[in-house]
Amino acid sequence: MAESDDWEMCEVSCEVSCYRDLPARHLRQRTRNILSRYLNVNLRGRDWRVVADVLEYEYITILNWERDQDPMGCFLRDWGTKESSTVGKLIDVLEYLDRQDVICEIKNLLDGDYTLWKRREREGSPLQVNEVSPSQQDYPVQRVTDELRGITRGDRASGPIETFDAYVCFCEADSSIVHTMMSVLEKPPYNLKLCVEFRDLVPGCPKVTAEAELITNRCKKTVVILSPEFIESEECDFQAKIALSYCPGARAKHVIPVIYKQCTLPPMLRHIALCDYTKEDQQEWFWERLYCALRG
């Protein structure tokens, strides 16, 4: 019996090996749901936490995902933004954890994922299924799924999802600067569209999942409001890391740090040029500089 089990596990491994190069971001929602169904279950040393840990996620990020109803889904959405994330690496981790049960469940689905990916590569078609208007072409890839609809006030049951010029990452103690930012940048002559949690997120949606979706897929940029309170906030730290992981090294100027109160800059933001709201001699140009950064 043991020999038979070993042969079956070898067969499963061989069957999924042909999909090793499949980028994780191309996993369809059905495959993600299976991974979540199995790995969200609390199995000490063999669940989603270890997957995230082995793939070098920080402990504080894992703690933040624990608060979500679908932590494995949070991991997959974030990990999928990394160029190096492939199904092969995920399979390696699952084999290391002796989760052949998971590999067996997804092996048939991977065939469809792989086929769809290759077809898109041949046809040169975008990732999103729904067509988008020319004004939306500059936004990141939009994945329209039932799970991610309805997280903002402007979402509708069908058609394009709501998109924004920038997601504003801030702590509650600094909400006054956010109100000011909305009153200045969302009116003429700037006319930008900001995503602000207390106004735009719909109550009842999974918060961590919504934040990750908005930062990585629906907002062109992320404004990070820096203050001592922000530095101490685990939730804000999570949001900033999501934004930076979407575009490591600030290659596309995705993250714009704004110093609202004097503080020690977190190491992950020290290499990025800042907008300093605290310097009175720079106030004359502050809003114009911030606008230029957001429209670029």
Side-chain angles (χ1 to χ4, degrees), residues 215-263:
I215 291 171
T216 60
N217 293 319
R218 300 204 193 182
C219 298
K220 292 181 181 179
K221 303 292 177 73
T222 300
V223 178
V224 179
I225 308 296
L226 294 170
S227 68
E229 292 83 1
F230 179 96
I231 302 301
E232 294 298 320
S233 169
E234 294 181 357
E235 180 178 348
C236 293
D237 178 71
F238 163 74
Q239 294 174 355
K241 286 177 179 174
I242 286 289
L244 286 167
S245 70
Y246 173 74
C247 191
R251 288 194 297 269
K253 301 178 183 177
H254 185 73
V255 178
I256 298 103
V258 172
I259 301 181
Y260 177 49
K261 302 173 186 174
Q262 288 295 341
C263 59

CSV table of all heavy atoms in Angstrom, one decimal, residues 215-263:
chain,number,residue,atom,x,y,z
A,215,ILE,N,-5.1,49.1,-3.6
A,215,ILE,CA,-3.7,49.6,-3.8
A,215,ILE,C,-3.1,49.0,-5.0
A,215,ILE,O,-2.4,49.7,-5.8
A,215,ILE,CB,-2.9,49.3,-2.5
A,215,ILE,CG1,-3.4,50.1,-1.3
A,215,ILE,CG2,-1.4,49.6,-2.8
A,215,ILE,CD1,-2.8,49.7,0.0
A,216,THR,N,-3.2,47.7,-5.2
A,216,THR,CA,-2.5,47.0,-6.3
A,216,THR,C,-3.2,47.0,-7.7
A,216,THR,O,-2.5,47.0,-8.7
A,216,THR,CB,-2.2,45.6,-5.9
A,216,THR,OG1,-3.4,44.9,-5.7
A,216,THR,CG2,-1.3,45.5,-4.7
A,217,ASN,N,-4.5,47.1,-7.7
A,217,ASN,CA,-5.3,47.0,-8.9
A,217,ASN,C,-6.1,48.1,-9.4
A,217,ASN,O,-6.5,48.2,-10.5
A,217,ASN,CB,-6.1,45.7,-8.9
A,217,ASN,CG,-5.3,44.4,-8.8
A,217,ASN,OD1,-4.3,44.3,-9.5
A,217,ASN,ND2,-5.7,43.5,-8.0
A,218,ARG,N,-6.5,49.0,-8.4
A,218,ARG,CA,-7.5,50.0,-8.8
A,218,ARG,C,-7.0,51.5,-8.7
A,218,ARG,O,-7.6,52.4,-9.1
A,218,ARG,CB,-8.7,49.9,-7.9
A,218,ARG,CG,-9.4,48.5,-8.1
A,218,ARG,CD,-10.8,48.7,-7.7
A,218,ARG,NE,-11.5,47.4,-7.5
A,218,ARG,CZ,-12.8,47.4,-7.1
A,218,ARG,NH1,-13.5,48.5,-7.0
A,218,ARG,NH2,-13.4,46.2,-7.0
A,219,CYS,N,-5.8,51.6,-8.1
A,219,CYS,CA,-5.3,53.0,-7.9
A,219,CYS,C,-3.9,53.2,-8.7
A,219,CYS,O,-3.0,52.3,-8.5
A,219,CYS,CB,-5.1,53.3,-6.5
A,219,CYS,SG,-6.6,53.3,-5.5
A,220,LYS,N,-3.8,54.2,-9.4
A,220,LYS,CA,-2.5,54.5,-10.1
A,220,LYS,C,-1.4,54.7,-9.2
A,220,LYS,O,-0.2,54.3,-9.4
A,220,LYS,CB,-2.7,55.7,-11.0
A,220,LYS,CG,-3.6,55.6,-12.2
A,220,LYS,CD,-3.6,56.9,-13.0
A,220,LYS,CE,-4.5,56.8,-14.2
A,220,LYS,NZ,-4.6,58.0,-14.9
A,221,LYS,N,-1.6,55.4,-8.1
A,221,LYS,CA,-0.6,55.7,-7.1
A,221,LYS,C,-1.0,55.5,-5.7
A,221,LYS,O,-2.2,55.3,-5.5
A,221,LYS,CB,-0.2,57.2,-7.3
A,221,LYS,CG,0.3,57.6,-8.7
A,221,LYS,CD,1.6,57.0,-9.1
A,221,LYS,CE,2.0,57.3,-10.5
A,221,LYS,NZ,2.5,58.7,-10.7
A,222,THR,N,-0.1,55.6,-4.8
A,222,THR,CA,-0.4,55.5,-3.3
A,222,THR,C,0.3,56.6,-2.6
A,222,THR,O,1.5,56.8,-2.7
A,222,THR,CB,0.0,54.1,-2.7
A,222,THR,OG1,-0.6,53.1,-3.4
A,222,THR,CG2,-0.3,54.1,-1.2
A,223,VAL,N,-0.5,57.5,-1.9
A,223,VAL,CA,0.0,58.5,-1.1
A,223,VAL,C,0.1,58.0,0.3
A,223,VAL,O,-0.8,57.6,0.9
A,223,VAL,CB,-0.9,59.8,-1.2
A,223,VAL,CG1,-0.3,60.9,-0.3
A,223,VAL,CG2,-1.0,60.3,-2.6
A,224,VAL,N,1.3,58.1,0.9
A,224,VAL,CA,1.6,57.6,2.3
A,224,VAL,C,1.8,58.9,3.2
A,224,VAL,O,2.8,59.6,3.0
A,224,VAL,CB,2.8,56.7,2.3
A,224,VAL,CG1,3.0,56.2,3.8
A,224,VAL,CG2,2.6,55.5,1.4
A,225,ILE,N,0.8,59.1,4.1
A,225,ILE,CA,0.9,60.2,5.0
A,225,ILE,C,1.8,59.8,6.2
A,225,ILE,O,1.3,59.0,7.1
A,225,ILE,CB,-0.5,60.7,5.5
A,225,ILE,CG1,-1.4,60.9,4.2
A,225,ILE,CG2,-0.4,61.9,6.3
A,225,ILE,CD1,-0.9,62.0,3.3
A,226,LEU,N,3.0,60.4,6.4
A,226,LEU,CA,3.9,60.0,7.4
A,226,LEU,C,3.8,60.9,8.6
A,226,LEU,O,3.8,62.1,8.5
A,226,LEU,CB,5.3,60.0,6.8
A,226,LEU,CG,5.6,59.0,5.7
A,226,LEU,CD1,7.0,59.3,5.1
A,226,LEU,CD2,5.6,57.6,6.3
A,227,SER,N,3.8,60.2,9.8
A,227,SER,CA,3.8,60.9,11.1
A,227,SER,C,4.2,59.9,12.1
A,227,SER,O,4.3,58.7,11.8
A,227,SER,CB,2.3,61.4,11.4
A,227,SER,OG,1.5,60.2,11.6
A,228,PRO,N,4.5,60.3,13.3
A,228,PRO,CA,4.9,59.3,14.4
A,228,PRO,C,3.8,58.3,14.6
A,228,PRO,O,4.1,57.1,14.9
A,228,PRO,CB,5.1,60.2,15.6
A,228,PRO,CG,5.5,61.6,15.1
A,228,PRO,CD,4.7,61.7,13.8
A,229,GLU,N,2.5,58.7,14.5
A,229,GLU,CA,1.4,57.8,14.7
A,229,GLU,C,1.4,56.8,13.6
A,229,GLU,O,1.1,55.6,13.8
A,229,GLU,CB,0.1,58.6,14.7
A,229,GLU,CG,-0.1,59.5,15.9
A,229,GLU,CD,0.6,60.8,15.8
A,229,GLU,OE1,1.2,61.1,14.7
A,229,GLU,OE2,0.5,61.6,16.8
A,230,PHE,N,1.7,57.2,12.4
A,230,PHE,CA,1.7,56.3,11.2
A,230,PHE,C,2.8,55.2,11.4
A,230,PHE,O,2.6,54.0,11.2
A,230,PHE,CB,2.0,57.0,9.9
A,230,PHE,CG,2.1,56.2,8.7
A,230,PHE,CD1,0.9,56.0,7.9
A,230,PHE,CD2,3.2,55.5,8.4
A,230,PHE,CE1,1.0,55.2,6.8
A,230,PHE,CE2,3.3,54.7,7.2
A,230,PHE,CZ,2.2,54.5,6.4
A,231,ILE,N,4.0,55.7,11.9
A,231,ILE,CA,5.1,54.7,12.1
A,231,ILE,C,4.7,53.7,13.1
A,231,ILE,O,5.2,52.5,13.0
A,231,ILE,CB,6.3,55.5,12.6
A,231,ILE,CG1,6.7,56.6,11.6
A,231,ILE,CG2,7.5,54.5,12.8
A,231,ILE,CD1,7.0,56.1,10.2
A,232,GLU,N,3.9,54.0,14.1
A,232,GLU,CA,3.5,53.0,15.1
A,232,GLU,C,2.4,52.1,14.7
A,232,GLU,O,2.1,51.2,15.4
A,232,GLU,CB,3.2,53.8,16.4
A,232,GLU,CG,4.3,54.5,17.0
A,232,GLU,CD,5.4,53.6,17.5
A,232,GLU,OE1,5.1,52.5,18.0
A,232,GLU,OE2,6.6,54.0,17.3
A,233,SER,N,1.7,52.4,13.6
A,233,SER,CA,0.5,51.7,13.2
A,233,SER,C,0.9,50.5,12.4
A,233,SER,O,1.5,50.6,11.3
A,233,SER,CB,-0.4,52.6,12.4
A,233,SER,OG,-1.4,51.8,11.8
A,234,GLU,N,0.5,49.3,12.8
A,234,GLU,CA,0.8,48.0,12.1
A,234,GLU,C,0.0,48.0,10.8
A,234,GLU,O,0.4,47.5,9.8
A,234,GLU,CB,0.4,46.8,13.0
A,234,GLU,CG,1.3,46.7,14.2
A,234,GLU,CD,1.0,45.4,15.0
A,234,GLU,OE1,0.0,44.7,14.6
A,234,GLU,OE2,1.7,45.1,16.0
A,235,GLU,N,-1.3,48.5,10.9
A,235,GLU,CA,-2.1,48.5,9.7
A,235,GLU,C,-1.6,49.3,8.6
A,235,GLU,O,-1.5,49.0,7.4
A,235,GLU,CB,-3.5,48.9,10.0
A,235,GLU,CG,-4.5,48.9,8.9
A,235,GLU,CD,-5.9,49.3,9.2
A,235,GLU,OE1,-6.2,49.4,10.4
A,235,GLU,OE2,-6.7,49.6,8.3
A,236,CYS,N,-1.1,50.5,8.9
A,236,CYS,CA,-0.5,51.4,7.9
A,236,CYS,C,0.8,50.9,7.4
A,236,CYS,O,1.1,51.0,6.2
A,236,CYS,CB,-0.2,52.8,8.6
A,236,CYS,SG,-1.7,53.7,9.0
A,237,ASP,N,1.6,50.2,8.2
A,237,ASP,CA,2.8,49.5,7.8
A,237,ASP,C,2.4,48.5,6.7
A,237,ASP,O,3.1,48.4,5.7
A,237,ASP,CB,3.5,48.9,8.9
A,237,ASP,CG,4.7,48.1,8.5
A,237,ASP,OD1,5.7,48.8,8.1
A,237,ASP,OD2,4.7,46.9,8.6
A,238,PHE,N,1.4,47.7,6.9
A,238,PHE,CA,0.9,46.7,6.0
A,238,PHE,C,0.5,47.4,4.6
A,238,PHE,O,0.9,46.9,3.6
A,238,PHE,CB,-0.3,46.0,6.6
A,238,PHE,CG,-1.1,45.2,5.6
A,238,PHE,CD1,-0.6,44.0,5.0
A,238,PHE,CD2,-2.3,45.7,5.1
A,238,PHE,CE1,-1.4,43.3,4.1
A,238,PHE,CE2,-3.1,45.0,4.2
A,238,PHE,CZ,-2.6,43.8,3.7
A,239,GLN,N,-0.2,48.5,4.7
A,239,GLN,CA,-0.7,49.1,3.5
A,239,GLN,C,0.5,49.6,2.7
A,239,GLN,O,0.6,49.5,1.4
A,239,GLN,CB,-1.6,50.3,3.8
A,239,GLN,CG,-2.9,49.9,4.4
A,239,GLN,CD,-3.7,51.1,4.8
A,239,GLN,OE1,-3.3,52.2,4.8
A,239,GLN,NE2,-4.9,50.8,5.3
A,240,ALA,N,1.5,50.2,3.3
A,240,ALA,CA,2.7,50.8,2.7
A,240,ALA,C,3.5,49.6,2.0
A,240,ALA,O,4.0,49.8,0.9
A,240,ALA,CB,3.6,51.5,3.6
A,241,LYS,N,3.6,48.5,2.7
A,241,LYS,CA,4.3,47.4,2.1
A,241,LYS,C,3.6,46.8,0.9
A,241,LYS,O,4.3,46.4,0.0
A,241,LYS,CB,4.6,46.3,3.2
A,241,LYS,CG,5.6,46.7,4.2
A,241,LYS,CD,5.8,45.7,5.3
A,241,LYS,CE,6.9,46.1,6.3
A,241,LYS,NZ,7.0,45.2,7.4
A,242,ILE,N,2.3,46.8,0.9
A,242,ILE,CA,1.6,46.3,-0.2
A,242,ILE,C,1.9,47.2,-1.4
A,242,ILE,O,2.1,46.7,-2.5
A,242,ILE,CB,0.0,46.3,0.1
A,242,ILE,CG1,-0.3,45.2,1.0
A,242,ILE,CG2,-0.8,46.2,-1.2
A,242,ILE,CD1,-0.3,43.8,0.3
A,243,ALA,N,1.9,48.5,-1.2
A,243,ALA,CA,2.1,49.5,-2.3
A,243,ALA,C,3.5,49.3,-2.8
A,243,ALA,O,3.8,49.3,-4.0
A,243,ALA,CB,1.9,50.9,-1.8
A,244,LEU,N,4.5,49.1,-1.9
A,244,LEU,CA,5.9,49.0,-2.4
A,244,LEU,C,6.1,47.7,-3.1
A,244,LEU,O,6.9,47.6,-4.0
A,244,LEU,CB,6.8,49.1,-1.2
A,244,LEU,CG,7.0,50.6,-0.6
A,244,LEU,CD1,7.7,50.5,0.7
A,244,LEU,CD2,7.8,51.4,-1.6
A,245,SER,N,5.5,46.6,-2.6
A,245,SER,CA,5.7,45.3,-3.3
A,245,SER,C,5.1,45.3,-4.7
A,245,SER,O,5.5,44.6,-5.5
A,245,SER,CB,5.0,44.2,-2.4
A,245,SER,OG,3.6,44.3,-2.5
A,246,TYR,N,4.1,46.2,-4.9
A,246,TYR,CA,3.5,46.3,-6.2
A,246,TYR,C,4.5,46.8,-7.2
A,246,TYR,O,4.6,46.4,-8.4
A,246,TYR,CB,2.3,47.2,-6.2
A,246,TYR,CG,1.7,47.5,-7.6
A,246,TYR,CD1,1.0,46.5,-8.3
A,246,TYR,CD2,1.9,48.7,-8.2
A,246,TYR,CE1,0.5,46.8,-9.6
A,246,TYR,CE2,1.4,49.0,-9.4
A,246,TYR,CZ,0.7,48.0,-10.1
A,246,TYR,OH,0.3,48.3,-11.4
A,247,CYS,N,5.3,47.7,-6.7
A,247,CYS,CA,6.4,48.3,-7.6
A,247,CYS,C,7.7,48.5,-6.8
A,247,CYS,O,8.0,49.6,-6.4
A,247,CYS,CB,5.9,49.7,-8.1
A,247,CYS,SG,6.9,50.3,-9.5
A,248,PRO,N,8.4,47.4,-6.6
A,248,PRO,CA,9.6,47.5,-5.8
A,248,PRO,C,10.6,48.5,-6.4
A,248,PRO,O,10.8,48.6,-7.6
A,248,PRO,CB,10.2,46.0,-5.9
A,248,PRO,CG,9.5,45.4,-7.1
A,248,PRO,CD,8.2,46.1,-7.2
A,249,GLY,N,11.3,49.2,-5.5
A,249,GLY,CA,12.3,50.1,-5.9
A,249,GLY,C,11.7,51.4,-6.5
A,249,GLY,O,12.5,52.3,-7.0
A,250,ALA,N,10.4,51.6,-6.4
A,250,ALA,CA,9.7,52.8,-6.9
A,250,ALA,C,10.0,53.0,-8.4
A,250,ALA,O,10.1,54.1,-8.8
A,250,ALA,CB,10.2,54.0,-6.1
A,251,ARG,N,10.1,51.9,-9.1
A,251,ARG,CA,10.4,52.1,-10.6
A,251,ARG,C,9.4,52.9,-11.3
A,251,ARG,O,9.7,53.5,-12.3
A,251,ARG,CB,10.6,50.7,-11.2
A,251,ARG,CG,11.8,50.0,-10.8
A,251,ARG,CD,12.1,48.8,-11.7
A,251,ARG,NE,11.0,47.8,-11.6
A,251,ARG,CZ,11.0,46.8,-10.8
A,251,ARG,NH1,12.0,46.6,-9.9
A,251,ARG,NH2,10.0,45.9,-10.8
A,252,ALA,N,8.1,52.8,-10.9
A,252,ALA,CA,7.1,53.5,-11.6
A,252,ALA,C,6.5,54.7,-10.8
A,252,ALA,O,5.4,55.2,-11.1
A,252,ALA,CB,5.9,52.6,-12.0
A,253,LYS,N,7.2,55.1,-9.8
A,253,LYS,CA,6.8,56.2,-8.9
A,253,LYS,C,5.4,55.9,-8.3
A,253,LYS,O,4.6,56.8,-8.3
A,253,LYS,CB,6.9,57.5,-9.6
A,253,LYS,CG,8.2,57.9,-10.2
A,253,LYS,CD,8.2,59.2,-10.9
A,253,LYS,CE,9.5,59.5,-11.6
A,253,LYS,NZ,9.5,60.8,-12.4
A,254,HIS,N,5.2,54.6,-8.0
A,254,HIS,CA,3.9,54.3,-7.5
A,254,HIS,C,3.6,54.8,-6.1
A,254,HIS,O,2.4,55.1,-5.8
A,254,HIS,CB,3.7,52.7,-7.5
A,254,HIS,CG,2.4,52.2,-7.1
A,254,HIS,ND1,1.3,52.3,-8.0
A,254,HIS,CD2,1.9,51.7,-6.0
A,254,HIS,CE1,0.2,51.8,-7.4
A,254,HIS,NE2,0.6,51.4,-6.2
A,255,VAL,N,4.6,55.0,-5.3
A,255,VAL,CA,4.4,55.4,-3.9
A,255,VAL,C,4.9,56.9,-3.7
A,255,VAL,O,6.1,57.1,-4.1
A,255,VAL,CB,5.1,54.5,-2.9
A,255,VAL,CG1,5.0,55.0,-1.5
A,255,VAL,CG2,4.6,53.1,-3.1
A,256,ILE,N,4.1,57.7,-3.2
A,256,ILE,CA,4.5,59.1,-2.9
A,256,ILE,C,4.4,59.4,-1.4
A,256,ILE,O,3.3,59.5,-0.9
A,256,ILE,CB,3.6,60.1,-3.7
A,256,ILE,CG1,3.8,59.9,-5.2
A,256,ILE,CG2,4.0,61.6,-3.4
A,256,ILE,CD1,2.6,59.2,-5.9
A,257,PRO,N,5.5,59.5,-0.7
A,257,PRO,CA,5.5,59.8,0.7
A,257,PRO,C,5.3,61.3,1.0
A,257,PRO,O,5.9,62.1,0.3
A,257,PRO,CB,6.9,59.3,1.2
A,257,PRO,CG,7.5,58.6,0.1
A,257,PRO,CD,6.9,59.1,-1.2
A,258,VAL,N,4.4,61.6,1.9
A,258,VAL,CA,4.1,62.9,2.4
A,258,VAL,C,4.4,63.0,3.9
A,258,VAL,O,3.8,62.3,4.6
A,258,VAL,CB,2.7,63.4,2.1
A,258,VAL,CG1,2.4,64.7,2.7
A,258,VAL,CG2,2.4,63.4,0.6
A,259,ILE,N,5.4,63.9,4.2
A,259,ILE,CA,5.6,64.1,5.7
A,259,ILE,C,4.6,65.1,6.2
A,259,ILE,O,4.7,66.3,5.9
A,259,ILE,CB,7.1,64.6,5.9
A,259,ILE,CG1,8.1,63.6,5.4
A,259,ILE,CG2,7.3,64.8,7.4
A,259,ILE,CD1,9.5,64.0,5.6
A,260,TYR,N,3.8,64.6,7.1
A,260,TYR,CA,2.7,65.5,7.7
A,260,TYR,C,3.2,66.0,9.0
A,260,TYR,O,2.9,67.2,9.4
A,260,TYR,CB,1.4,64.7,7.8
A,260,TYR,CG,0.3,65.5,8.5
A,260,TYR,CD1,0.0,66.8,8.1
A,260,TYR,CD2,-0.4,64.9,9.5
A,260,TYR,CE1,-1.0,67.5,8.7
A,260,TYR,CE2,-1.4,65.6,10.2
A,260,TYR,CZ,-1.7,66.9,9.8
A,260,TYR,OH,-2.7,67.6,10.4
A,261,LYS,N,3.9,65.2,9.8
A,261,LYS,CA,4.5,65.5,11.1
A,261,LYS,C,5.9,65.0,11.1
A,261,LYS,O,6.2,63.9,10.5
A,261,LYS,CB,3.7,64.9,12.2
A,261,LYS,CG,2.2,65.3,12.3
A,261,LYS,CD,1.5,64.5,13.4
A,261,LYS,CE,0.0,64.8,13.3
A,261,LYS,NZ,-0.7,63.9,14.3
A,262,GLN,N,6.8,65.7,11.7
A,262,GLN,CA,8.2,65.3,11.7
A,262,GLN,C,8.3,63.9,12.4
A,262,GLN,O,7.7,63.7,13.4
A,262,GLN,CB,9.1,66.3,12.5
A,262,GLN,CG,9.3,67.6,11.8
A,262,GLN,CD,10.1,67.4,10.5
A,262,GLN,OE1,10.8,66.4,10.4
A,262,GLN,NE2,10.1,68.3,9.6
A,263,CYS,N,9.0,63.0,11.7
A,263,CYS,CA,9.2,61.6,12.2
A,263,CYS,C,10.4,61.0,11.6
A,263,CYS,O,10.9,61.5,10.6
A,263,CYS,CB,7.9,60.8,11.9
A,263,CYS,SG,7.5,60.7,10.2
